[in-house]
Amino acid sequence: MMVGAANADPAPDAASLKSEGPVQPTKVEDGKYTDKDGTPTYRVTEGGKQVDWSSMSGYLRYNANCIVCHGPDGAGSTYAPSLVDALKHDDYATFVGIVAGGKKDVNASEQLVMPAFGENKNVMCYIDDVYVYLRARSDGVIGRGRPAEHEPKSATFKKAEDACMG
Ligand code: HEC
């Protein structure tokens, strides 16, 4: 079951913010959750079955843009590292910096290249979503595969998306 009507902004009060996992959102604005530091975060409920829209959107964007190298569910591949592990040490700013600017391991015997996505709207307009999804994967609150249920996409979220994608 989805929460709320499909066309309405979810507007939960502070008491309803509780999430599974170590990071608790302290604020929700237009369906986007942030932690005490103002960093984007997830909200997962129903025994890991239901996720916020940002996590769902991040799952979809990850599968469209990152899976080819980093493997299903952020778990890593022979070519690119596990992002489930990376988010245990990379903070939000580091993550965004690497995705926008790329990364090249010059010391590896086989050259590993993380492309720069800074000019790619399909990635950068959704960078918070991808971060939030991987953060939840890293914290072990979203399992492998597609989240079963998600909160609706808010009207404001849709507007911001349209503005960013141009
Ligand atoms: C063409 C293959 C490729 C694609 C596509 C790709 N990556 Fe990477 N990524 C890599 C490689 C290879 C590395 C390791 C680079 C290094 O170690 O210097 C990497 C490293 C990273 C790191 C740093 C990990 C760490 O250990 O600190 C992050 C974060 C990252 N990628 C995120 C993403 C995200 C998010 C996407 C999708 C938007 C993505 N990557 C798409 C190949 C890719």
Side-chain angles (χ1 to χ4, degrees):
M1 197 190 71
M2 302 225 310
V3 279
N7 58 354
D9 274 7
D13 54 27
S16 70
L17 286 180
K18 199 162 165 39
S19 177
E20 285 155 26
V23 180
Q24 294 300 319
T26 58
K27 196 175 157 204
V28 60
E29 206 164 39
D30 304 318
K32 283 189 164 201
Y33 297 86
T34 43
D35 65 18
K36 58 177 173 35
D37 302 321
T39 305
T41 195
Y42 51 80
R43 179 167 176 263
V44 176
T45 55
E46 312 274 329
K49 267 179 44 204
Q50 177 168 283
V51 305
D52 59 289
W53 173 254
S54 222
S55 293
M56 187 63 205
S57 168
Y59 167 82
L60 297 171
R61 297 288 154 180
Y62 177 86
N63 281 282
N65 300 290
C66 320
I67 193 172
V68 59
C69 293
H70 288 279
D73 314 303
S77 72
T78 53
Y79 182 72
S82 160
L83 297 181
V84 173
D85 291 342
L87 282 225
K88 295 194 198 303
H89 50 79
D90 287 356
D91 64 11
Y92 172 72
T94 305
F95 174 83
V96 174
I98 293 172
V99 177
K103 192 177 176 213
K104 199 170 180 176
D105 189 348
V106 287
N107 295 319
S109 52
E110 189 190 351
Q111 265 214 352
L112 300 177
V113 180
M114 163 68 195
F117 286 98
E119 303 290 314
N120 186 333
K121 288 186 173 190
N122 286 308
V123 172
M124 296 315 290
C125 289
Y126 302 93
I127 191 69
D128 285 359
D129 300 346
V130 177
Y131 174 77
V132 161
Y133 163 67
L134 291 171
R135 188 177 195 182
R137 285 283 303 132
S138 187
D139 285 348
V141 299
I142 291 182
R144 301 197 76 140
R146 187 187 174 99
E149 293 161 17
H150 59 81
E151 293 178 3
K153 184 197 277 196
S154 73
T156 316
F157 199 107
K158 177 89 177 71
K159 229 169 114 186
E161 181 178 21
D162 290 347
C164 183
M165 290 299 285

